[in-house]
């Protein structure tokens, strides 16, 4: 089968945009990934790999390679295969995206992703208001405000922290494009659209209202401001644009806190309550009500995971046995609350230490910090922000266990890597031109 370069590039680009935009919908996105792989297999002759590409691909696929290396350590062959199956996108994305790195339109893909995701969120918020009027009425009357973001995320079919990790990245990228619209003297309509998309995306971060995502969003804003100040863009325009954005953000945040007083509790007393009960959560009256999402619960989980992981060094308990073994440990140490709800590790570094032993955290560091290196080397605020968002999110959660973390990071890691390779190619060619 033959196809022109122009048509191949268009289809390739459409696939990347669709996969990025549908990442929060597991089934449609999984189907698109399969179709993307099939499309590239049909035109496999277009793939080209250099040593630099292969090294980058190995970094992206490192979690899967680790699972294959220690596959023998699984108690169940079937569960071991299932664990690997969840991570296959970490092979598909680098194989076909890095292999076609010169076709990746970095900024166009991100811009399409930001606008489309924000439009999707507006649609789902409208749907939520229409389909769940009782819940909306309850929240308007300030009843059970703690569950609002989780209910909204559930109505879409995704876990709230995962959704907000995506939205944090969308919002930071949207801010980048606001500055970009002013830097490149875009038409007034384009500037207004950029600002509107940014404000809507930030509103959705507040609506879902997970602590780490909001903190990451604000840190991402600082990263964008820092790189803008470092750029050659007119400092006066940067300060003027920044002042307007800060005022708008401050107004939205103030109004949201006024309408949602639970935020004050959530980010203070609720988060740090009962820290003297680490490992002793059953001593708290109704812990599922008082500390289900508190820091003390996570620290108790981390304590148990660390103790269990140390017992199974140097190779861990196996990829498929991490959660079952941790649940057994909860019961063995008489932690009934943790055992009842079967909490996972909630820390990717500890999770891989438990599953794979000494090599586990090393691979997580390699995987995540390579993204950080790409952003630092390219001096790109969006990539640096993605690194910070994904790194900190995995300190309090384990997103390399979930599709919405594995595929999300694998896709963008491959796109970032492609952009890095493009820039390296330009630099390598520059001396020849001279």
């Amino acid at each position: 089968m033959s196809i022109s370069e122009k048509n191949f590039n268009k289809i390739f680009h459409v696939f990347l945009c669709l996969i990025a935009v549908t990442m929060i919908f597991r089934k449609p996105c999984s189907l698109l990934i399969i179709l993307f792989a099939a499309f590239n297999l049909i035109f496999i002759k277009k793939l080209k790999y250099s040593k630099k590409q292969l090294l980058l691909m190995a970094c992206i696929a490192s979690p899967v390679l680790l699972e294959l290396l220690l596959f023998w350590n699984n108690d169940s062959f079937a569960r071991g295969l299932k664990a690997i199956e969840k991570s296959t996108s970490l092979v598909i994305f680098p194989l076909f995206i890095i292999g076609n790195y010169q076709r990746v339109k970095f900024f166009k893909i991100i811009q399409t992703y930001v606008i489309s995701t924000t439009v999707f969120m507006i649609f789902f918020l409208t749907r939520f208001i229409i389909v769940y009027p009782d819940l909306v009425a309850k929240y308007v009357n300030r009843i059970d405000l703690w569950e609002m973001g989780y209910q909204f995320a559930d109505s879409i079919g995704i876990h709230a922290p995962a959704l907000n990790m995506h939205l944090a990245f969308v919002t930071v990228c949207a801010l980048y494009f606001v500055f970009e619209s002013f830097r490149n003297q875009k038409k007034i309509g384009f500037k207004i659209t950029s600002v509107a998309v940014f404000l809507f995306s930030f509103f959705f971060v507040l609506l879902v209202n997970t602590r780490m995502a909001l903190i990451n969003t604000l840190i991402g804003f600082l990263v964008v401001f820092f790189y803008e100040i470092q750029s050659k863009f007119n400092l006066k325009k940067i300060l003027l644009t920044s002042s307007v954005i800060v005022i708008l953000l401050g107004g939205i945040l103030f109004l949201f806190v006024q309408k949602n007083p639970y935020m004050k509790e959530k980010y203070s007393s609720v988060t740090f309550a009962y820290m003297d009960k680490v490992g002793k959560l059953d001593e708290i009256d109704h812990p599922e009500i008082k500390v289900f999402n508190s820091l003390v619960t996570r620290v108790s989980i981390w304590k148990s995971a660390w103790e269990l992981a140390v017992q199974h060094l140097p190779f861990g308990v196996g990829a498929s046995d991490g959660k079952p073994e941790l649940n057994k440990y909860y019961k063995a140490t008489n932690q009934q609350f943790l055992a009842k709800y079967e909490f996972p590790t909630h820390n990717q570094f500890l999770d891989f230490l438990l599953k794979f032993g000494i090599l586990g955290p090393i691979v997580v560091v390699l995987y995540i910090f390579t993204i950080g290196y790409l952003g630092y080397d390219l001096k790109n605020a969006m990539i640096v922000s993605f690194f910070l968002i994904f790194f900190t999110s995995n300190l309090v959660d384990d997103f390399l266990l979930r599709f919405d973390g594995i595929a999300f990071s694998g896709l963008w890691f491959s796109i970032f890597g492609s952009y890095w390779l493009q820039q390296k190619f330009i630099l390598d060619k520059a001396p020849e031109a001279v």
Side-chain angles (χ1 to χ4, degrees):
M1 184 181 293
S2 62
I3 186 173
S4 68
E5 281 294 305
K6 184 178 180 181
N7 288 334
F8 182 87
N9 291 342
K10 282 183 179 179
I11 296 171
F12 184 81
H13 177 74
V14 168
F15 262 122
L16 291 184
C17 290
L18 287 174
I19 292 170
V21 172
T22 59
M23 191 62 68
I24 57 178
F25 313 108
R26 178 169 184 168
K27 290 183 178 179
C29 188
S30 297
L31 177 60
L32 282 168
I33 293 171
I34 293 169
L35 292 174
F36 176 68
F39 171 74
N40 281 279
L41 284 172
I42 292 171
F43 301 101
I44 196 167
K45 290 183 179 180
K46 292 184 179 291
L47 299 170
K48 295 178 182 179
Y49 302 106
S50 65
K51 289 182 180 178
K52 196 176 288 185
Q53 286 171 270
L54 291 172
L55 182 62
L56 195 54
M57 289 166 61
C59 289
I60 299 171
S62 56
V64 184
L65 297 176
L66 181 62
E67 288 192 41
L68 290 171
L69 178 66
L70 297 178
F71 187 80
W72 55 269
N73 201 25
N74 291 299
D75 288 341
S76 167
F77 179 81
R79 289 207 307 268
L81 285 178
K82 187 175 181 181
I84 291 175
E85 181 270 332
K86 287 198 302 183
S87 303
T88 51
S89 59
L90 295 183
V91 175
I92 292 172
F93 288 141
L95 186 66
F96 298 125
I97 297 176
I98 298 295
N100 285 298
Y101 79 89
Q102 71 279 9
R103 307 177 195 280
V104 173
K105 300 173 183 176
F106 177 69
F107 290 101
K108 194 169 183 179
I109 291 169
I110 294 186
Q111 194 166 38
T112 302
Y113 165 70
V114 168
I115 295 171
S116 299
T117 302
T118 304
V119 170
F120 265 127
M121 288 300 104
I122 293 171
F123 168 78
F124 280 108
L125 177 60
T126 305
R127 173 180 171 271
F128 185 77
I129 292 170
I130 295 171
V131 177
Y132 303 99
D134 294 341
L135 287 175
V136 174
K138 184 169 69 169
Y139 302 143
V140 168
N141 290 311
R142 303 185 179 186
I143 301 171
D144 292 338
L145 290 173
W146 61 271
E147 70 172 17
M148 179 172 62
Y150 284 83
Q151 291 284 5
F152 175 65
D154 285 343
S155 73
I156 299 173
I158 186 172
H159 189 45
L163 174 61
N164 232 13
M165 178 178 66
H166 293 251
L167 294 177
F169 181 53
V170 167
T171 305
V172 173
C173 291
L175 178 60
Y176 174 88
F177 286 114
V178 169
F179 280 107
E180 186 73 9
S181 67
F182 283 90
R183 182 191 298 116
N184 294 329
Q185 300 295 319
K186 298 286 186 179
K187 293 181 180 179
I188 187 66
F190 189 89
K191 292 178 181 178
I192 292 172
T193 301
S194 298
V195 172
V197 168
F198 166 64
L199 294 177
F200 270 114
S201 61
F202 182 63
F203 166 78
F204 286 114
V205 171
L206 292 174
L207 178 67
V208 179
N209 196 18
T210 53
R211 284 160 288 203
M212 187 54 68
L214 179 56
I215 292 168
N216 282 333
T217 300
L218 297 176
I219 293 173
F221 292 166
L222 293 177
V223 171
V224 174
F225 287 141
F226 173 77
Y227 277 101
E228 287 298 324
I229 291 170
Q230 275 203 329
S231 71
K232 295 179 181 178
F233 184 40
N234 186 288
L235 183 60
K236 184 177 179 181
K237 289 184 178 180
I238 291 175
L239 293 175
L240 180 61
T241 307
S242 300
S243 300
V244 173
I245 289 170
V246 168
I247 292 170
L248 290 172
L249 287 179
I252 291 174
L253 191 58
F254 175 78
L255 290 173
F256 200 89
V257 172
Q258 289 295 108
K259 296 295 181 181
N260 186 353
Y262 175 70
M263 278 190 71
K264 297 176 184 177
E265 298 176 43
K266 182 174 183 176
Y267 288 83
S268 54
S269 58
V270 171
T271 298
F272 300 103
Y274 299 99
M275 289 304 295
D276 59 322
K277 297 296 183 182
V278 173
K280 301 177 287 184
L281 299 178
D282 295 309
E283 295 180 9
I284 302 171
D285 186 34
H286 298 299
E288 63 275 3
I289 297 175
K290 296 181 178 178
V291 296
F292 196 91
N293 289 315
S294 294
L295 182 60
V296 66
T297 301
R298 274 181 164 75
V299 176
S300 297
I301 295 167
W302 298 340
K303 180 175 180 291
S304 297
W306 171 260
E307 292 168 353
L308 183 59
V310 169
Q311 292 177 17
H312 289 84
L313 292 177
F315 299 116
V317 300
S320 65
D321 304 305
K323 188 174 180 179
E325 290 297 322
L326 186 57
N327 290 332
K328 289 178 185 176
Y329 189 77
Y330 293 151
K331 294 174 183 177
T333 53
N334 198 33
Q335 299 185 81
Q336 300 303 317
F337 170 61
L338 297 182
K340 178 181 178 181
Y341 290 98
E342 299 184 340
F343 286 99
T345 315
H346 282 298
N347 179 293
Q348 194 59 67
F349 299 87
L350 276 175
D351 180 76
F352 266 44
L353 178 66
L354 176 60
K355 290 178 176 178
F356 305 113
I358 296 169
L359 288 175
I362 295 173
V363 167
V364 178
V365 168
L366 173 68
Y367 183 83
I368 296 177
F369 277 81
T370 301
I371 300 174
Y373 168 75
L374 296 177
Y376 172 79
D377 194 47
L378 290 166
K379 294 180 173 56
N380 186 283
M382 292 186 289
I383 301 177
V384 171
S385 296
F386 183 96
F387 156 69
L388 292 172
I389 289 167
F390 198 66
F391 169 62
T392 54
S393 295
N394 278 292
L395 291 176
V396 295
D397 223 316
D398 27 35
F399 283 106
L400 288 178
L401 297 182
R402 307 165 53 89
F403 172 84
D404 42 37
I406 296 168
F408 174 65
S409 60
L411 174 71
W412 288 112
F413 195 167
S414 299
I415 291 173
F416 299 154
S418 296
Y419 180 55
W420 181 77
L421 287 166
Q422 290 171 7
Q423 299 307 303
K424 290 299 175 186
F425 179 79
I426 293 170
L427 289 174
D428 290 343
K429 286 293 181 182
E432 296 179 18
V434 174

